[in-house]
Amino acid sequence: MWPGMGRDRLTRGLVLRLCLLLTALCVCVHIYLELGSRRGAPSHLILGCPTQTNQVLPDKGARIRGTKDPMEPNFVTEDRAMKRMVSYVRTLKNDSVAGKTGGGDNPSMCCPPLRPKRKSPRWHIELEPWASDNHSLEEEARRFLHYITTPQVSCAPPSPEGPLALEGQEGPKGPWAVCLDSRYSLAQRIHTKHCRVYSMGLGVEDKTLERSLARVGCEVHCFDPSLKQAHLQESDMWLHRLSVDWRDPNPAIPAQRQHGNTKKLATILNDFGHRQVDVLKVDMESAEWKILENLVLEGVLSSVGQLLLEVHLHWAGFEVDGDDPSVVRFWFSLLKELERAHFRLFRYHNDPAKPRLFLHRNFLNASSAYTLGWVNNEWRP
């Protein structure tokens, strides 16, 4: 019994050593073949980076400067190396950024990336600096209120008798209005019947603007979680039993399963197969701050041409934490994120019938709700 076990161990040891020797031999052969295949290529091609060379690419039948006679054996090797170089340079030129923009080759650029780098996901917005060193509510509120009541771009109204005159666009008095200035794309999109409108609300807001846009040929989708049917077409508009949220419900959690008709805007766009929205109207009764934060973090704003947003200021809003100065700073930082996404404020409106409340108090005679209109000045559908 014991001699048999000794022989088995000896056999296993010999087999293991033989395997190690064969592995080492294969590695050596692979290295030898790799070095042999690169022996005839120029050094700048082996490194993978193009460099300037004094050689001139010849026509067919012409001799390469500095090469041997074509009858000599080494001519075949150098000819193949030159073909590899020409093929490499052409591929690099087609894939380089300069080649795509028509600017030609850039000899100083070594191996530019073939694909643009993807933006890393964001987990929080960038908070703006405090309005003052003492972090006072008054200074934060003054800065915020001045920002939302100061339009950044002007919007020329269409002719009242023209085909683009919309019902409900009552100039500075109307609560909801779009920008039909010819500098932006919405007027042209309406003219070509290619505009798309998303209206997010809770079923109680005015639908005058949506009906007017549908009447001039826009594809209008209204989202209301209180509807009895999942999808319904009514008055040239599509009604959906959905509501936009800042997160998708988790079906594994019973409390969230009850709210399965709420989804993020990115999820709704993907489900509907829509890549762009000309007008996004949001009236979500104090959920707008977290929804806007989600749109910023997920980069959805690049798919929106105009954003019509009602903000509520009588309290912080759903899941917005912190003391009062920190809340107002968060509001202001979110709107500055809109500006960084190329949105510009073209109008604001406050209803004098609304209570004058700012974070549960009458502060600076501010209204409890403002309707803001933003236009993406770099949006090209």
Side-chain angles (χ1 to χ4, degrees), residues 1 71 107 112 155 166 230 283 301 347:
M1 183 176 192
M71 299 301 295
C155 183
L166 301 178
D283 184 8
L301 291 173
R347 77 184 302 271

Side-chain angles (χ1 to χ4, degrees), residues 164 166 178-180 185-198 209-221 236 238 274 276-280 303 305-306 379 381:
L164 297 182
L166 301 178
V178 294
C179 181
L180 297 176
S185 61
L186 181 58
Q188 179 64 24
R189 299 273 288 177
I190 292 177
H191 180 72
T192 58
K193 311 296 184 183
H194 285 97
C195 64
R196 179 179 295 121
V197 180
Y198 272 26
L209 178 63
E210 290 87 334
R211 294 190 183 95
S212 299
L213 289 170
R215 193 173 296 113
V216 296
C218 287
E219 175 190 339
V220 179
H221 297 266
D236 299 327
W238 282 99
H274 296 161
Q276 295 170 332
V277 176
D278 294 86
V279 179
L280 175 62
S303 303
Q306 295 189 28
W379 193 69

Side-chain angles (χ1 to χ4, degrees), residues 74-147:
N74 290 339
F75 177 80
V76 178
T77 303
E78 294 179 359
D79 185 44
R80 291 178 179 175
M82 183 56 65
K83 289 181 179 179
R84 286 196 297 268
M85 181 177 69
V86 173
S87 176
Y88 178 83
V89 172
R90 286 176 179 171
T91 304
L92 179 63
K93 180 178 179 180
N94 292 334
D95 292 336
S96 64
V97 177
K100 291 180 180 179
T101 57
D105 294 341
N106 186 0
S108 63
M109 181 183 298
C110 178
C111 305
L114 300 181
R115 298 178 181 178
K117 294 184 178 179
R118 294 183 177 180
K119 295 182 179 180
S120 57
R122 298 179 59 185
W123 301 102
H124 57 82
I125 68 169
E126 297 180 10
L127 291 176
E128 294 293 317
W130 290 95
S132 61
D133 295 335
N134 57 358
H135 303 177
S136 69
L137 174 61
E138 182 176 357
E139 294 299 326
E140 294 296 327
R142 288 185 184 277
R143 179 178 67 170
F144 173 78
L145 293 172
H146 178 266
Y147 187 77

